Amino acid sequence: MILAPHADDESLGCGGLIAAARAQGVAVHVICMTDGAASHPNSHAWGGGRLTERREAEMIRALAHLGCAPDSVRFLRHPDGWLGAQDGAAIGATLADLCAQLRVRTLLASSGIDHHADHKATAAIAAHMTRHHPELRHWAYPVWSRWDDAAYLQAHGRLRPRSFDTSDWQSAKRRAIDAHDSQLGRIVEDDPAGFAMPGAFVEFFATAPEIFFEVPSCP
Ligand SMILES: [Zn+2]
């Protein structure tokens, strides 16, 4: 199970691993935590839930490139930017039940070192889940900290990084990232201050090995 704070984190942080898992027949379930509406908060044309629907469709397309069927993703639609203000323990308990139902053994969640409140909140929810199910292996994947924090490895403290070479999955991963049109500056035209991934950012995540930190479950 992959916890993605926003539609695009799954492709950026673990697209290669998802493609590799699917190629081996491993079931992958993706949870999109927020509605993604904060990427273009000033757009009138894409307000009122339209951007959320667009981003969800993009995520489904991205996951198709990685070998996942549309029903492998669930959208929780918590308010973008405010996941930390929700009841993380309750969200974690519900997701832990879902893990038990789906026989999930491995949980990947955004790293709490990432400099984004929803990424930190997602990491905290993952920690709640392993409290319910200590047998779940929990791995943290960095996105923003890898990009903007030169000391991100040290910032993870005693957690040791494992690197996954995505060379064999690079074209699928690139197509998955590319499916997130609205985050690449191609769709929303009436919010110039809205988010657009820089080209170098896309290139970095499309080609660099993926990094995962195993997080011990704390009682
Ligand atoms: Zn994100």
Side-chain angles (χ1 to χ4, degrees):
M1 179 176 284
I2 320 276
L3 303 189
H6 309 98
D8 67 8
D9 290 311
E10 80 298 336
S11 298
L12 295 166
C14 28
L17 188 66
I18 294 172
R22 291 303 300 133
Q24 291 185 29
V26 176
V28 172
H29 305 280
V30 181
I31 310 291
C32 183
M33 306 299 287
T34 69
D35 63 17
S39 69
H40 297 82
N42 305 310
S43 170
H44 291 290
W46 291 88
R50 190 176 172 214
L51 182 58
T52 295
E53 283 174 19
R54 171 82 201 190
R55 293 193 67 175
E56 292 179 355
E58 290 171 352
M59 193 173 191
I60 288 170
R61 264 199 295 140
L63 287 166
H65 288 303
L66 303 174
C68 300
D71 64 359
S72 62
V73 55
R74 288 164 171 80
F75 300 100
L76 303 191
R77 294 191 172 189
H78 292 293
D80 192 354
W82 296 92
L83 183 58
Q86 315 303 310
D87 185 345
I91 297 169
T94 304
L95 288 176
D97 287 347
L98 184 62
C99 281
Q101 261 175 49
L102 298 171
R103 298 169 197 264
V104 170
R105 290 180 302 183
T106 307
L107 180 66
L108 291 101
S110 53
S111 167
I113 299 300
D114 277 3
H115 306 150
H116 188 304
D118 292 335
H119 287 229
K120 291 183 187 298
T122 299
I125 287 167
H128 282 299
M129 292 169 71
T130 57
R131 235 165 262 148
H132 286 269
H133 289 285
E135 73 283 3
L136 269 180
R137 287 184 78 177
H138 172 192
W139 296 83
Y141 64 89
V143 179
W144 285 110
S145 57
R146 258 191 106 174
W147 179 246
D148 64 16
D149 182 352
Y152 82 96
L153 285 173
Q154 298 86 314
H156 282 84
R158 282 185 300 179
L159 305 184
R160 276 197 308 190
R162 289 271 293 271
S163 161
F164 179 68
D165 179 353
T166 59
S167 305
D168 290 348
W169 313 101
Q170 215 172 93
S171 65
K173 180 169 183 179
R174 198 180 277 280
R175 275 177 287 151
I177 296 172
D178 196 61
H180 293 284
D181 283 321
S182 66
Q183 306 306 296
L184 291 159
R186 297 175 188 149
I187 300 296
V188 181
E189 293 179 333
D190 63 344
D191 186 356
F195 176 70
M197 292 180 207
F201 177 93
V202 171
E203 200 50 34
F204 173 75
F205 282 99
T207 55
E210 290 171 0
I211 304 280
F212 301 95
F213 298 86
E214 185 159 17
V215 183
S217 72
C218 41

